Amino acid sequence: MVKLRTGLVLGGGGARGAYEAGVLSYLREELDPELERPFPIHVIAGTSVGAINACQVAAHMEDPRQQAVQMANHWKSLSIDSVLRFGAGDLFRMFREVFGKPALLEGRHGGLIDPSGLQGIVLRGAPWTAIGRSIRKGLLHAMAVSATHVATGRTTVFIQMKGKALPPWTKDPHFVAEPALIGPHHAMASAAIPLLFPPVRVKGRLYVDGSLRQSVPLAPALRLGAQRVLVISLRHIKEGIFPEQESSSLDEGTWASAPFLAGKTLNALLLDRTDQDFDKLRRLNSILVAGTQAYGAEYAEVLNRALQPHRNSPLKYIRNILIRPSEDIGHLAAEYARSPEFIKKARGLPGTLVRKLVEREAPDSADLVSYLLFDGGFAEQLIDLGRRDARARREDFLRFFSDEPECEAEAMQFARDAARAGG
């Protein structure tokens, strides 16, 4: 039986990233024992905070259980005062950069928050040399970290994988791939939310948050050879409600404060295109299934020969599962930031600012704060939510990780791959 190459795709969303640790905790601590083996991960793709989490996963491939334990413990250890570091000097510097003379290239520019707190998260989160070791040992086929190039606005996907040659990439000039030895500066660049954190230099070029164009990096995982993909999105969408209708119950005239607008603007900048990408993926799957049923086993090969002049990679049936929060994380952030627990321990300037921002956002939601609330108590809530949401999809996960073909089109694909491998 040909084994499917599994891709793990981690999206962006600042402090919301603790939710990804919860999903992984369920998979490693509850599903693995049921499967009687660790579920495989061959390709990892992350952007923004998902890039930081992706690097943690990649660095612990030799001990899969530690992937979940280390990530969850890391998130629970955070405090907002240590991550969001800024003071009056930072406000003055930003004012001077906007209204004063052009600044010299040296030093830190373009962000309100001192990045040393974020650097601490990144540096403590992963034994960085272990990523290359995992790839050399064959424990991991490839990993990808996405960032946005400041000068051009293009998404750059930094890739570390076995072998030197990258796979065929998209012809879209707005998305480029670049080989790299993934390190802390790549993760920092991917997670640098514009205006809040300064851009990060990678090989002399400035980069910011990868979520600006690619909030959930599904395409890189597929181009790196994933045949089944587990995607974790950090955006809650209410059942039967379009995203543009989510705030219809709010009095937008009343709540059009600067923090409210900033939160909604950040949501728009980090627009989650997961549903559009998944809709396209599932439509292609449906075409392959229907074609195989109607025309037989050769349908996919005939179709790919016809499409070859127009595509860099062949169409394949992709098994998929999408996990997203069942509760509004903005609402959870508003509740937590008003809680006695948070008020008691966050007495510094960052904690005070977060409480003031919550007062100025909508009564039952704090989108801006949910991106900034790097606090162990809030992280624990999101980890529990991720674990519950994943547990609710147990049957889907058992199907997803099965080695049996999911449909006729996938069975034909298995057979072709086995024949090419001489199996």
Side-chain angles (χ1 to χ4, degrees):
M1 176 68 68
V2 176
K3 301 294 184 181
L4 290 175
R5 182 176 287 171
T6 305
L8 174 65
V9 180
L10 302 176
R16 302 178 181 205
Y19 178 85
E20 296 171 341
V23 174
L24 191 64
S25 293
Y26 165 76
L27 296 174
R28 287 304 186 203
E29 296 170 10
E30 298 183 39
L31 191 70
D32 276 0
E34 189 168 357
L35 295 173
E36 298 183 342
R37 57 183 170 84
F39 73 87
I41 301 175
H42 305 102
V43 175
I44 306 174
T47 192
S48 192
V49 74
I52 298 175
N53 286 340
C55 291
Q56 291 188 12
V57 174
H60 291 97
M61 292 300 297
E62 292 180 294
D63 188 352
R65 177 69 184 270
Q66 287 302 308
Q67 291 171 332
V69 173
Q70 293 291 338
M71 191 188 300
N73 288 343
H74 191 59
W75 276 100
K76 291 177 184 179
S77 71
L78 299 181
S79 69
I80 193 166
D81 290 330
S82 64
V83 177
L84 302 184
R85 299 178 180 176
F86 63 93
D90 296 289
L91 294 173
F92 176 75
R93 177 180 49 78
M94 283 289 289
F95 182 86
R96 185 183 60 191
E97 288 186 12
V98 173
F99 298 104
K101 294 180 180 180
L104 298 175
L105 291 177
E106 292 80 7
R108 174 169 64 89
H109 304 289
L112 175 62
I113 298 172
D114 182 343
S116 60
L118 181 62
Q119 287 172 353
I121 295 177
V122 171
L123 292 172
R124 292 193 306 271
W128 290 91
T129 57
I131 295 175
R133 187 166 63 246
S134 295
I135 292 175
R136 289 192 300 272
K137 288 185 175 182
L139 301 173
L140 181 67
H141 172 69
M143 79 166 299
V145 168
S146 301
T148 304
H149 183 218
V150 172
T152 63
R154 294 186 303 186
T155 295
T156 299
V157 184
F158 297 104
I159 297 171
Q160 186 170 350
M161 62 181 297
K162 265 193 168 183
K164 295 182 179 180
L166 296 183
W169 215 251
T170 177
K171 297 178 180 178
D172 187 339
H174 296 104
F175 297 86
V176 297
E178 184 175 309
L181 295 177
I182 302 297
H185 49 300
H186 297 98
M188 283 285 295
S190 184
I193 299 174
L195 299 182
L196 296 180
F197 293 101
V200 176
R201 288 190 184 275
V202 179
K203 291 185 176 179
R205 291 172 291 178
L206 291 174
Y207 292 91
V208 292
D209 200 305
S211 289
L212 294 182
R213 279 187 176 270
Q214 195 174 70
S215 59
V216 178
L218 174 59
L222 298 179
R223 294 187 181 280
L224 290 170
Q227 296 160 297
R228 59 182 171 193
V229 286
L230 162 58
V231 179
I232 306 177
S233 169
L234 300 178
R235 187 169 186 180
H236 165 72
I237 294 181
K238 294 179 182 177
E239 194 92 19
I241 297 180
F242 294 106
E244 61 269 20
Q245 298 174 318
E246 288 186 47
S247 299
S248 61
S249 62
L250 298 175
D251 182 347
E252 295 187 0
T254 302
W255 296 106
S257 62
F260 173 84
L261 293 174
K264 296 305 177 186
T265 300
L266 197 55
N267 275 345
L269 283 174
L270 307 182
L271 179 65
D272 188 340
R273 294 184 54 86
T274 309
D275 290 288
Q276 295 94 317
D277 291 344
F278 254 70
D279 183 60
K280 183 188 298 183
L281 173 63
R282 288 167 175 167
R283 285 176 184 271
L284 292 174
N285 278 351
S286 298
I287 290 171
L288 291 173
V289 170
T292 301
Q293 291 172 345
Y295 299 106
E298 302 304 314
Y299 173 77
E301 289 196 5
V302 172
L303 180 62
N304 279 314
R305 281 199 298 270
L307 291 174
Q308 192 170 14
H310 310 288
R311 289 180 58 88
N312 284 333
S313 56
L315 292 179
K316 285 191 172 185
Y317 182 89
I318 304 296
R319 197 180 295 191
N320 57 84
I321 186 169
L322 169 64
I323 295 288
R324 66 173 2 128
S326 60
E327 298 182 32
D328 186 336
I329 293 182
H331 177 68
L332 295 177
E335 286 188 337
Y336 182 77
R338 295 187 179 104
S339 70
E341 174 190 353
F342 181 72
I343 293 172
K344 182 179 179 180
K345 66 180 179 181
R347 297 186 178 277
L349 180 58
T352 301
L353 177 63
V354 162
R355 294 196 299 274
K356 292 296 183 183
L357 289 175
V358 167
E359 292 174 6
R360 298 293 294 157
E361 289 203 66
D364 62 346
S365 184
D367 289 317
L368 177 59
V369 166
S370 73
Y371 288 96
L372 302 177
L373 201 48
F374 290 96
D375 176 89
F378 182 58
E380 193 161 1
Q381 289 187 6
L382 297 188
I383 290 169
D384 289 342
L385 177 62
R387 192 180 288 116
R388 292 197 309 271
D389 288 347
R391 188 181 297 122
R393 301 284 300 277
R394 171 183 170 274
E395 294 298 328
D396 293 330
F397 277 117
L398 291 175
R399 168 197 60 77
F400 180 79
F401 287 115
S402 170
D403 290 327
E404 296 301 316
E406 189 172 64
C407 63
E408 188 178 357
E410 192 175 58
M412 295 299 101
Q413 191 168 291
F414 277 15
R416 290 192 300 274
D417 289 345
R420 291 192 184 98

